[in-house]
Coordinates of all heavy atoms in Angstrom, one line a residue:
V218 N 0.8 -1.2 0.0 CA 0.0 0.0 0.0 C 0.9 1.2 0.0 O 0.6 2.2 -0.7 CB -0.9 0.0 1.2 CG1 -1.6 1.4 1.3 CG2 -2.1 -1.1 1.1
R219 N 1.9 1.3 0.8 CA 2.8 2.4 0.9 C 3.5 2.7 -0.5 O 3.6 3.8 -0.9 CB 3.8 2.2 2.0 CG 3.3 2.6 3.4 CD 4.5 2.7 4.4 NE 5.2 1.4 4.6 CZ 4.8 0.5 5.5 NH1 3.8 0.8 6.3 NH2 5.5 -0.6 5.7
G220 N 3.9 1.6 -1.1 CA 4.5 1.7 -2.4 C 3.6 2.3 -3.4 O 4.0 3.1 -4.2
L221 N 2.4 1.8 -3.5 CA 1.4 2.4 -4.4 C 1.0 3.8 -4.1 O 0.8 4.6 -5.0 CB 0.2 1.4 -4.5 CG 0.5 0.0 -5.0 CD1 -0.7 -0.9 -4.8 CD2 1.0 0.0 -6.4
Q222 N 0.9 4.1 -2.8 CA 0.5 5.4 -2.4 C 1.6 6.4 -2.7 O 1.4 7.7 -3.0 CB 0.1 5.5 -1.0 CG -1.2 4.8 -0.6 CD -1.5 4.8 0.8 OE1 -0.6 4.9 1.7 NE2 -2.8 4.8 1.2
A223 N 2.9 6.0 -2.7 CA 3.9 6.8 -3.0 C 4.0 7.2 -4.5 O 4.8 8.1 -4.9 CB 5.3 6.2 -2.6
G224 N 3.3 6.5 -5.4 CA 3.3 6.8 -6.7 C 3.7 5.6 -7.6 O 3.8 5.8 -8.9
G225 N 4.0 4.5 -7.0 CA 4.2 3.2 -7.8 C 3.0 2.8 -8.5 O 1.9 3.0 -8.0
D226 N 3.1 2.2 -9.7 CA 1.9 1.7 -10.5 C 1.8 0.1 -10.2 O 0.6 -0.3 -10.5 CB 2.2 2.0 -12.0 CG 2.2 3.5 -12.2 OD1 1.2 4.1 -12.3 OD2 3.4 4.0 -12.3
D227 N 2.8 -0.5 -9.9 CA 2.7 -2.0 -9.6 C 3.7 -2.4 -8.6 O 4.7 -1.7 -8.4 CB 2.8 -2.8 -10.9 CG 2.2 -4.2 -10.8 OD1 1.7 -4.6 -9.8 OD2 2.2 -4.9 -11.9
Y228 N 3.5 -3.6 -8.0 CA 4.4 -4.0 -6.9 C 4.7 -5.5 -7.1 O 3.8 -6.3 -7.1 CB 3.7 -3.7 -5.6 CG 4.6 -3.8 -4.3 CD1 5.0 -2.5 -3.7 CD2 5.1 -4.9 -3.8 CE1 5.8 -2.6 -2.5 CE2 5.8 -5.0 -2.7 CZ 6.2 -3.7 -2.0 OH 6.9 -3.8 -0.9
L229 N 6.0 -5.8 -7.1 CA 6.4 -7.2 -7.3 C 7.3 -7.6 -6.2 O 8.3 -6.9 -6.0 CB 7.0 -7.5 -8.6 CG 7.4 -8.9 -9.0 CD1 6.2 -9.8 -9.1 CD2 8.1 -8.9 -10.4
T230 N 7.1 -8.7 -5.5 CA 7.9 -9.0 -4.3 C 9.0 -10.1 -4.7 O 8.8 -10.9 -5.7 CB 7.1 -9.7 -3.2 OG1 6.4 -10.9 -3.7 CG2 6.1 -8.7 -2.7
K231 N 10.1 -10.0 -4.1 CA 11.3 -10.9 -4.4 C 11.1 -12.1 -3.4 O 10.7 -11.9 -2.3 CB 12.6 -10.1 -4.0 CG 12.9 -8.9 -4.9 CD 14.2 -8.3 -4.4 CE 14.5 -7.0 -5.2 NZ 15.7 -6.3 -4.7
P232 N 11.6 -13.3 -3.9 CA 12.1 -13.5 -5.2 C 10.9 -13.6 -6.2 O 9.8 -13.9 -5.8 CB 12.8 -15.0 -5.1 CG 12.0 -15.6 -4.0 CD 11.7 -14.5 -3.0
F233 N 11.3 -13.5 -7.5 CA 10.2 -13.4 -8.5 C 10.7 -14.3 -9.8 O 11.9 -14.5 -10.0 CB 9.9 -12.0 -9.0 CG 11.1 -11.3 -9.4 CD1 11.6 -11.3 -10.7 CD2 11.8 -10.5 -8.5 CE1 12.7 -10.6 -11.1 CE2 13.0 -9.8 -8.9 CZ 13.5 -9.8 -10.2
A234 N 9.7 -14.7 -10.5 CA 10.0 -15.3 -11.8 C 10.1 -14.2 -12.9 O 9.2 -13.2 -12.9 CB 8.9 -16.4 -12.2
F235 N 11.0 -14.2 -13.7 CA 11.2 -13.2 -14.7 C 9.9 -13.0 -15.6 O 9.5 -12.0 -16.0 CB 12.4 -13.3 -15.6 CG 12.6 -12.2 -16.6 CD1 13.1 -11.0 -16.2 CD2 12.1 -12.3 -17.9 CE1 13.2 -9.9 -17.1 CE2 12.3 -11.3 -18.8 CZ 12.8 -10.1 -18.4
A236 N 9.3 -14.2 -15.9 CA 8.1 -14.1 -16.8 C 7.0 -13.2 -16.2 O 6.4 -12.5 -17.0 CB 7.5 -15.5 -16.9
E237 N 6.9 -13.2 -14.9 CA 5.9 -12.3 -14.3 C 6.4 -10.9 -14.3 O 5.6 -10.0 -14.6 CB 5.6 -12.8 -12.9 CG 4.6 -11.9 -12.2 CD 4.2 -12.3 -10.8 OE1 4.9 -13.2 -10.3 OE2 3.4 -11.7 -10.2
L238 N 7.7 -10.6 -14.1 CA 8.1 -9.2 -14.2 C 8.0 -8.7 -15.6 O 7.4 -7.6 -15.8 CB 9.6 -9.2 -13.8 CG 10.3 -7.8 -13.8 CD1 11.2 -7.6 -12.7 CD2 11.0 -7.5 -15.1
L239 N 8.3 -9.5 -16.6 CA 8.2 -9.1 -18.0 C 6.7 -8.8 -18.3 O 6.4 -7.7 -18.9 CB 8.7 -10.1 -18.9 CG 8.6 -9.8 -20.4 CD1 9.3 -8.6 -20.8 CD2 9.1 -11.0 -21.3
A240 N 5.8 -9.6 -17.8 CA 4.4 -9.4 -18.1 C 3.9 -8.1 -17.5 O 3.1 -7.4 -18.1 CB 3.5 -10.6 -17.7
R241 N 4.4 -7.9 -16.3 CA 3.9 -6.7 -15.7 C 4.5 -5.4 -16.3 O 3.8 -4.4 -16.4 CB 4.3 -6.7 -14.1 CG 3.5 -7.7 -13.3 CD 4.1 -7.9 -11.9 NE 3.4 -8.8 -11.1 CZ 2.6 -8.5 -10.2 NH1 2.3 -7.3 -9.8 NH2 1.9 -9.5 -9.5
V242 N 5.7 -5.5 -16.7 CA 6.4 -4.3 -17.4 C 5.6 -4.1 -18.7 O 5.3 -3.0 -19.0 CB 7.9 -4.6 -17.7 CG1 8.4 -3.6 -18.7 CG2 8.6 -4.5 -16.4
Q243 N 5.3 -5.1 -19.5 CA 4.6 -5.0 -20.8 C 3.2 -4.3 -20.5 O 2.8 -3.6 -21.3 CB 4.5 -6.3 -21.4 CG 5.9 -6.8 -22.0 CD 5.8 -8.2 -22.4 OE1 5.0 -9.0 -22.0 NE2 6.7 -8.6 -23.4
A244 N 2.5 -4.8 -19.4 CA 1.2 -4.4 -19.1 C 1.2 -2.9 -18.8 O 0.4 -2.1 -19.2 CB 0.6 -5.1 -18.0
L245 N 2.3 -2.4 -18.1 CA 2.4 -1.0 -17.7 C 2.7 -0.1 -19.0 O 2.1 0.9 -19.1 CB 3.5 -0.8 -16.7 CG 3.3 -1.3 -15.3 CD1 4.5 -1.1 -14.5 CD2 2.1 -0.5 -14.6
V246 N 3.5 -0.6 -19.8 CA 3.8 0.0 -21.1 C 2.5 0.2 -22.0 O 2.2 1.2 -22.4 CB 4.9 -0.6 -21.9 CG1 5.0 0.1 -23.3 CG2 6.2 -0.5 -21.1
R247 N 1.8 -0.9 -22.1 CA 0.5 -0.9 -22.8 C -0.5 0.1 -22.2 O -1.1 0.8 -22.9 CB -0.1 -2.3 -22.9 CG 0.6 -3.2 -23.9 CD -0.2 -4.5 -24.1 NE -0.3 -5.2 -23.0 CZ 0.5 -6.2 -22.6 NH1 1.5 -6.6 -23.4 NH2 0.3 -6.9 -21.6
R248 N -0.6 0.0 -20.9 CA -1.6 0.9 -20.2 C -1.2 2.4 -20.4 O -2.1 3.2 -20.7 CB -1.6 0.6 -18.7 CG -2.7 1.2 -17.9 CD -2.5 0.8 -16.5 NE -2.3 -0.6 -16.3 CZ -1.8 -1.1 -15.2 NH1 -1.5 -0.3 -14.1 NH2 -1.7 -2.5 -15.1
A249 N 0.1 2.7 -20.4 CA 0.5 4.1 -20.6 C 0.2 4.5 -22.1 O 0.0 5.7 -22.2 CB 1.9 4.2 -20.2
S250 N 0.4 3.6 -23.0 CA 0.2 4.0 -24.4 C -1.2 3.7 -24.9 O -1.5 3.9 -26.0 CB 1.2 3.2 -25.3 OG 1.0 1.8 -25.2
R251 N -2.0 3.2 -23.9 CA -3.5 2.9 -24.2 C -3.6 1.9 -25.3 O -4.5 1.9 -26.1 CB -4.2 4.2 -24.6 CG -4.3 5.2 -23.5 CD -5.2 6.4 -23.9 NE -5.4 7.2 -22.8 CZ -4.7 8.2 -22.4 NH1 -3.6 8.5 -23.0 NH2 -5.0 9.0 -21.3
T252 N -2.6 1.0 -25.4 CA -2.7 -0.2 -26.3 C -3.4 -1.3 -25.7 O -3.1 -1.7 -24.6 CB -1.2 -0.6 -26.7 OG1 -0.5 0.5 -27.2 CG2 -1.3 -1.7 -27.8
P253 N -4.5 -1.8 -26.3 CA -5.2 -2.8 -25.7 C -4.4 -4.1 -25.4 O -3.5 -4.5 -26.3 CB -6.3 -3.2 -26.8 CG -6.4 -2.0 -27.7 CD -5.0 -1.4 -27.7
E254 N -4.6 -4.6 -24.3 CA -3.8 -5.8 -23.9 C -4.4 -7.1 -24.4 O -5.6 -7.3 -24.2 CB -3.7 -5.9 -22.4 CG -2.8 -7.1 -21.9 CD -2.7 -7.0 -20.3 OE1 -3.2 -6.1 -19.7 OE2 -2.1 -8.0 -19.8
P255 N -3.7 -7.9 -25.2 CA -4.3 -9.1 -25.7 C -4.7 -10.1 -24.5 O -4.1 -10.2 -23.6 CB -3.2 -9.8 -26.6 CG -1.9 -9.2 -26.0 CD -2.3 -7.8 -25.5
T256 N -5.8 -10.8 -24.8 CA -6.3 -11.7 -23.7 C -6.0 -13.2 -24.1 O -6.1 -14.0 -23.2 CB -7.8 -11.5 -23.5 OG1 -8.5 -11.7 -24.7 CG2 -8.1 -10.1 -23.1
T257 N -5.7 -13.4 -25.3 CA -5.3 -14.8 -25.8 C -4.1 -14.8 -26.7 O -3.9 -13.8 -27.3 CB -6.6 -15.4 -26.5 OG1 -6.8 -14.7 -27.7 CG2 -7.8 -15.5 -25.6
L258 N -3.4 -15.9 -26.6 CA -2.3 -16.2 -27.6 C -2.8 -17.4 -28.3 O -3.2 -18.4 -27.8 CB -1.1 -16.4 -26.8 CG -0.5 -15.4 -25.9 CD1 0.6 -15.9 -25.1 CD2 -0.2 -14.1 -26.6
T259 N -2.5 -17.4 -29.7 CA -2.9 -18.5 -30.6 C -1.8 -18.8 -31.5 O -1.3 -17.9 -32.2 CB -4.2 -18.1 -31.3 OG1 -5.2 -17.7 -30.4 CG2 -4.7 -19.3 -32.2
V260 N -1.5 -20.1 -31.5 CA -0.6 -20.6 -32.6 C -1.2 -21.9 -33.1 O -1.4 -22.9 -32.5 CB 0.8 -21.0 -31.9 CG1 1.7 -21.6 -33.0 CG2 1.5 -19.7 -31.4
E261 N -1.5 -21.8 -34.4 CA -2.3 -22.9 -35.1 C -3.6 -23.2 -34.3 O -4.4 -22.3 -34.1 CB -1.4 -24.2 -35.2 CG -0.2 -23.9 -36.1 CD -0.5 -23.7 -37.6 OE1 -1.5 -24.3 -38.1 OE2 0.1 -22.8 -38.2
D262 N -3.7 -24.5 -33.8 CA -4.9 -24.8 -33.1 C -4.8 -24.7 -31.6 O -5.5 -25.2 -30.8 CB -5.5 -26.1 -33.5 CG -4.5 -27.3 -33.3 OD1 -3.3 -26.9 -33.0 OD2 -4.8 -28.5 -33.5
L263 N -3.6 -24.2 -31.2 CA -3.3 -24.1 -29.7 C -3.7 -22.7 -29.3 O -3.3 -21.6 -29.8 CB -1.8 -24.3 -29.5 CG -1.3 -24.1 -28.1 CD1 -1.8 -25.3 -27.2 CD2 0.3 -24.3 -28.1
V264 N -4.5 -22.6 -28.2 CA -5.0 -21.3 -27.7 C -4.7 -21.3 -26.2 O -5.0 -22.2 -25.4 CB -6.5 -21.2 -27.9 CG1 -7.0 -19.9 -27.4 CG2 -6.9 -21.3 -29.3

């Protein structure tokens, strides 16, 4: 709460998996640029 009230936009605790950090960074960039965040990934018949 203190971190977010200070002006942070998201909060990730250590230790962390890089996949989660990357997803959060990408989401923050999309949110700032107002780019819609994809909800699904599709490759051939894999969803």
Side-chain angles (χ1 to χ4, degrees):
V218 169
R219 280 194 292 271
L221 296 174
Q222 289 178 336
D226 297 280
D227 200 356
Y228 195 106
L229 184 62
T230 58
K231 301 176 181 180
F233 54 87
F235 182 80
E237 182 176 6
L238 181 142
L239 178 60
R241 287 172 183 254
V242 166
Q243 291 170 330
L245 288 176
V246 171
R247 284 193 296 266
R248 194 182 308 160
S250 62
R251 294 185 173 87
T252 303
E254 184 174 355
T256 59
T257 60
L258 301 174
T259 303
V260 176
E261 297 296 321
D262 57 353
L263 178 64
V264 179

